[in-house]
Each structure stands twice: as structure tokens, then as C-alpha cells.
Amino acid sequence: MLQHRQRIINTRIDRLGAHDADDSTHEVTLSGGGGGLPRDFRLYKAAGCAACPHAFITQFSLKVIVGIVASPYNGWHKQVIERLQPMTTHPLVDRFQVLGQAMADALGTTGSDASPRFSRIAAEQLECFLPKLRGFSLEDILSAALTTKAEQLDVESHFGDPPITWFMGERFCIESYVWNDNSTNVHDHAFAGAWTTLVGQSLHRQYRFEADEKITPDFELGRLFLQKGERLVPGMVRQITPSDQFIHDLYHLDRPSITLIIRTCRLDHPLRGQRHYIGHEQHALALKTFDRPPMEILQRRLLKASLQDSEATFLHLFQALLEQEDFEVITRLAAKTGFLLSHKQLGDCLRLLENRWPLQGHYVSEALLHQRQLATMINLRHRRTDTQDRLLLGLLRCPSTREDLLEQVRTLAETEDPAAWIFQRFEQWAEEGELLQLTPTQREALRGILEGQPARNDEILDRFTLQNEPLLQVLGRP
């Protein structure tokens, strides 16, 4: 019986001779078998041949196969394993290694990792290397990630879904981020570097923060102004400068989008750390993002857990925290939970906060209301796949006036009639009834608002209603 099974294995391996000229991986699959002995052996080719089923194999699974085969069948298992080839590295992994080595050579051993020189060199290397990275898909990225041996910088991070480290050096790393429905907050950086878009498109905006009051070294009140917006497509490279000299956000228009970054892993001089920004224009908060005390993290999780019970439980816990914690901690807790609350819950919490810290609390209230507006747009974006629909939802997040919105649509959607472009999408959403509900009179009122026409008497109430619709509030500010 053993000799018969050995002949079967030898025959099936010999049939793989047509594939021996390439670098394919073959996997032994053991299946069935009474009494612990396999009945059938299948040799699967991992890639490169349409005639064979496809399956990737890791070094670990290869060792398991060796152990299974070797234990009951000593004497022929070595012949099987010798004909198997170790798993090959995906070509994309090799290209990232070449990029990493080119970056290391260009960087040299001198110079500050936080200097503009690092960002400039990273951008230059990306621009030179982009032709070798064109045409790859999400499937290519994910398949390649299975074969990378690079140390992962922060695989549990929610920045990217997932984040993948391709190259880890002493001074820098190369990462890609997969984006589906997640987007970035407005933030700055504690590292230098440059990034590019590999797949998809993104709405990219830069901001300027002006501080009014420093509460602590990690928390400031101020104003946040939009400086510029652009639509990023594959092939465009942008530099990252540490500190608040470069504040931005990315709102991804395609699902998926994939970005690639060369960035420093650590800095050779102290910075205050990365911050994220909440709010817009006259009322904004700047908060250091990382390394929060364990007790604050526990308090935040307790508040989120209380939402599973009742509004009264949440409000009771929030009131208790107001009596024992300082302004910064309460603001952070409200920022991390506020977008999960109903309108009534959020309003109750903000009133309590303003009662304790009237002037400072007003900053927080306005900022968190704006944060909720952004969260609404993100949730609505989950329902749309059309790039232009997602662009409009992204633009509705932060323009301060109707004229700002029209100008951004004119530029980023590349249309000569932004009012008609916007109305067409609102009308489509209303017909579908998913994002927006509009009566016939409200549609005419909306058209008049976009075109800057005065309201007729029968449209006045409808215009007021539209201006209280989260999607349309910006249209009420000329």
C-alpha cells in the first residue's frame, strides 16, 4: 500500500514538470483518510498557471506539511518536499525593496530626519519610482503583503485599513494605506516624508491654525482656516513637513483608494507630537493625539459602554466626570463620544460643559457641532459609490459659504456651471430618497438658492427648512 501511494505521488509530481521552468510555488494538500492516513494528495500551483487551482502558501504551512507527511510515511516524504519550491516574493515587494535602498542611498548618513531635506528627497524618490508602480490593483497590494518580511510599524493602527509596511530601515520606512470608507481627521505630523496615490482619487485640503488660548501644552483653542483644496490622482506627490506647518486632511473619493508614503520612523530632536484639529474657522480645537493616560482611556470606554444602556446612564456618568476632571479631559471625552450621541444627548452634554466653563465651553460646543456635521457626511458617503457624489459630500463638509462651495465645485469638478452640477446631484438623491427628501416646492427653492435668486412667498418656509437640513446648511450662508 505504501509503495502504491508513493507511485501516485511520484506520478503527480512528475506532471508538474511543465511548471518547473518558472518560480511557481507548489503546495501539497492532504485530505480525507481513514485511520489518520490520507486518501488523496493534490499538488496545487500557487500562481502563474491557469491549468492549476491557485493557492498561496507560507513558510509556516510548508513546515506543517513536512511534518504531516514525514510522520507516517518515512522514506518517501523527502522526495516530495525536495520537488516543492519555497514561496516566491511578490514582484511588488521586490520593487519596494529597491525603492527603500534608493532612498537610503540618496539620504546618506548625515542630515536631520526632521529637516525639509528628508521630505524633498522622499518626494524625489517617489516621483522617480512611480512608473514602476503603475497598474497595480488592490488585489496586487494585498497579495504582495502576504509575502512581505518587513517589520510592521503599527499594524493595529486604524490609519489605513490596513496599514502595510513594505520597508523598514533605521531612519525611515515605506508604507501603504488602504482606504475604503475611512478618511483622515484634520491633522499635522510628528514626522517628515512624502506620499503619493497609487489607486483611486482623494480630496486633499490644507489648513492654517491660529491659536487663541493655550490650555495645556497638549491642548489649544483657536481658529482653523481652509487654505487650499485639490483633487489628488495617481502620480501626484506631496511632501509632509513636521509640526503645524503642514495641517491637512484626506477625503477619499474612490473605494478603495491606496496611498504610499516614505516617512521617518523617529526624529532626532523633540517635537510636541502629532495633533488633530476639530472645528472650523472661528471655533477650533488642537489636541495632541497619542499617549493619553490609561485612566482617560478607561473613562472614554465607560462612556461608550453606557450608550448601550440608556441616555440617562450616559448623562449621569458625564455629570460625574464634570465634577472631578479638568477642562482638557472633559473636552477630549466629549470629542471622542459626541459624534455617537443623538442630537438631544449632545445638546445636553454641551450645555453642561458651557455652564461650567462658559467662554471656553462655547469654543468646544461649536467645534463639536462641526465635528458632528463631518461625521454625518462620512456616514452618508458610505451609501454612495459614484466618485462625483462622494466629491460633493466631501465639499459639503467645511466650506463656510455658498460662494465658497460653488467655487470649489467649479475647480475640483471641472465644471462651468457649478450650481447646475450641484442641483443635478441633489435632485438625483431626492429621487432615490436615500440621502435627501424634497418636496416639489423645496426643489424649486433649492434651485433658487443655488442660483442666488430671491425667494417667492411660497418658497420662504421651504428655504428655512432646507437651511436646517444637515446636507444643505452651507447653502443658507451666502
Side-chain angles (χ1 to χ4, degrees):
M1 176 65 70
L2 179 60
Q3 292 176 345
H4 174 67
R5 291 192 178 279
Q6 182 175 354
R7 285 196 298 272
I8 293 175
I9 291 295
N10 290 341
T11 300
R12 294 189 177 185
I13 289 181
D14 289 339
R15 290 175 183 171
L16 292 173
H19 307 311
D20 287 346
D22 61 27
D23 293 328
S24 305
T25 299
H26 299 100
E27 177 178 357
V28 176
T29 302
L30 308 179
S31 63
L37 301 180
R39 284 183 186 161
D40 185 63
F41 300 89
R42 298 191 302 269
L43 293 175
Y44 281 178
K45 186 171 181 295
C49 176
C52 302
H54 291 182
F56 286 100
I57 178 174
T58 64
Q59 293 296 328
F60 176 77
S61 62
L62 180 59
K63 291 178 182 177
V64 172
I65 291 170
V66 172
I68 292 173
V69 178
S71 178
Y73 297 112
N74 187 29
W76 56 262
H77 69 278
K78 290 183 179 179
Q79 183 177 359
V80 175
I81 299 304
E82 285 172 358
R83 298 297 297 273
L84 294 175
Q85 301 178 33
M87 186 176 188
T88 57
T89 302
H90 194 283
L92 193 55
V93 174
D94 295 333
R95 296 185 190 189
F96 285 134
Q97 294 300 309
V98 173
L99 173 59
Q101 188 57 56
M103 177 67 189
D105 293 342
L107 190 60
T109 58
T110 61
S112 167
D113 288 349
S115 70
R117 175 177 176 269
F118 182 94
S119 299
R120 176 178 53 80
I121 293 175
E124 290 171 352
Q125 293 303 315
L126 283 176
E127 288 170 351
C128 291
F129 215 76
L130 275 176
K132 300 178 182 178
L133 297 175
R134 288 178 182 152
F136 287 101
S137 65
L138 174 62
E139 182 180 359
D140 296 322
I141 295 288
L142 299 182
S143 298
L146 292 177
T147 72
T148 183
K149 302 297 188 295
E151 175 189 351
Q152 298 300 297
L153 180 65
D154 188 5
V155 73
E156 294 185 1
S157 170
H158 295 292
F159 195 86
D161 186 26
I164 305 166
T165 305
W166 300 103
F167 180 92
M168 178 65 73
E170 292 185 4
R171 300 174 63 184
F172 69 92
C173 63
I174 300 174
E175 290 194 300
S176 66
Y177 306 121
V178 178
W179 307 95
N180 288 302
D181 284 319
N182 50 338
S183 286
T184 72
N185 296 318
V186 180
H187 63 283
D188 60 22
H189 306 82
F191 59 83
W195 92 94
T196 188
T197 300
L198 293 181
V199 176
Q201 303 178 58
S202 303
L203 176 60
H204 176 230
R205 287 175 291 205
Q206 291 180 235
Y207 302 84
R208 182 185 79 256
F209 179 73
E210 296 180 0
D212 290 331
E213 182 179 359
K214 176 179 281 190
I215 307 299
T216 72
D218 297 338
F219 176 31
E220 289 183 317
L221 306 178
R223 292 159 290 158
L224 188 67
F225 298 100
L226 178 65
Q227 294 293 99
K228 58 183 276 190
E230 60 181 343
R231 190 168 178 168
L232 296 183
V233 299
M236 301 174 73
V237 177
R238 295 294 179 266
Q239 297 184 29
I240 297 172
T241 305
S243 179
D244 58 3
Q245 298 303 304
F246 182 66
I247 302 172
H248 76 145
D249 71 347
L250 282 171
Y251 180 92
H252 302 290
L253 303 177
D254 291 312
R255 179 197 295 167
S257 295
I258 303 175
T259 54
L260 178 70
I261 185 173
I262 301 177
R263 52 157 292 182
T264 52
C265 300
R266 59 190 66 85
L267 296 178
D268 56 9
H269 70 84
L271 287 175
R272 48 150 177 71
Q274 179 173 311
R275 299 194 297 183
H276 75 274
Y277 300 81
I278 301 172
H280 188 57
E281 293 201 336
Q282 300 304 317
H283 301 95
L285 318 174
L287 295 156
K288 185 177 178 180
T289 309
F290 301 110
D291 302 325
R292 301 309 305 161
M295 181 52 68
E296 182 185 310
I297 297 173
L298 175 61
Q299 291 168 340
R300 181 176 73 230
R301 298 189 68 177
L302 290 173
L303 285 172
K304 288 184 177 180
S306 72
L307 291 172
Q308 305 303 315
D309 187 16
S310 67
E311 292 186 3
T313 302
F314 180 91
L315 194 60
H316 175 75
L317 287 180
F318 190 78
Q319 285 177 307
L321 289 168
L322 270 173
E323 296 173 1
Q324 70 183 53
E325 296 295 348
D326 61 25
F327 178 55
E328 179 182 5
V329 171
I330 295 299
T331 297
R332 289 180 178 277
L333 293 176
K336 288 292 186 179
T337 58
F339 62 92
L340 301 173
L341 306 178
S342 67
H343 287 286
K344 181 181 182 302
Q345 280 180 305
L346 181 58
D348 290 342
C349 290
L350 295 180
R351 278 190 290 273
L352 290 171
L353 192 149
E354 287 195 49
N355 287 340
R356 179 163 183 192
W357 298 286
L359 181 60
Q360 297 168 327
H362 181 66
Y363 263 90
V364 175
S365 293
E366 292 295 322
L368 295 189
L369 288 171
H370 183 265
Q371 180 190 47
R372 185 181 184 91
Q373 175 78 357
L374 301 190
T376 298
M377 297 304 170
I378 291 292
N379 291 333
L380 292 175
R381 188 188 61 172
H382 293 176
R383 308 180 196 175
R384 311 305 297 182
T385 57
D386 180 76
T387 299
Q388 300 294 66
D389 284 352
R390 289 161 74 97
L391 173 63
L392 179 54
L393 288 170
L395 293 176
L396 286 169
R397 295 172 72 204
C398 75
S400 56
T401 68
R402 180 171 66 245
E403 288 305 315
D404 288 341
L405 175 63
L406 292 171
E407 185 56 36
Q408 289 191 44
V409 167
R410 186 190 309 278
T411 302
L412 300 177
E414 298 180 344
T415 175
E416 294 299 321
D417 192 348
W421 188 92
I422 295 172
F423 183 76
Q424 178 184 359
R425 273 147 190 83
F426 280 151
E427 193 172 38
Q428 178 184 342
W429 298 348
E431 289 175 355
E432 296 172 355
E434 185 179 19
L435 302 185
L436 195 61
Q437 304 287 338
L438 293 177
T439 67
T441 307
Q442 286 174 337
R443 292 193 190 193
E444 290 307 309
L446 175 59
R447 187 194 301 272
I449 291 171
L450 285 168
E451 295 176 353
Q453 298 174 359
R456 299 193 302 266
N457 290 334
D458 59 348
E459 293 180 359
I460 293 177
L461 180 59
D462 290 298
R463 288 187 179 224
F464 175 79
T465 303
L466 292 176
Q467 290 167 13
N468 285 276
E469 158 66 45
L471 266 174
L472 307 175
Q473 286 178 356
V474 66
L475 301 181
R477 300 191 290 271

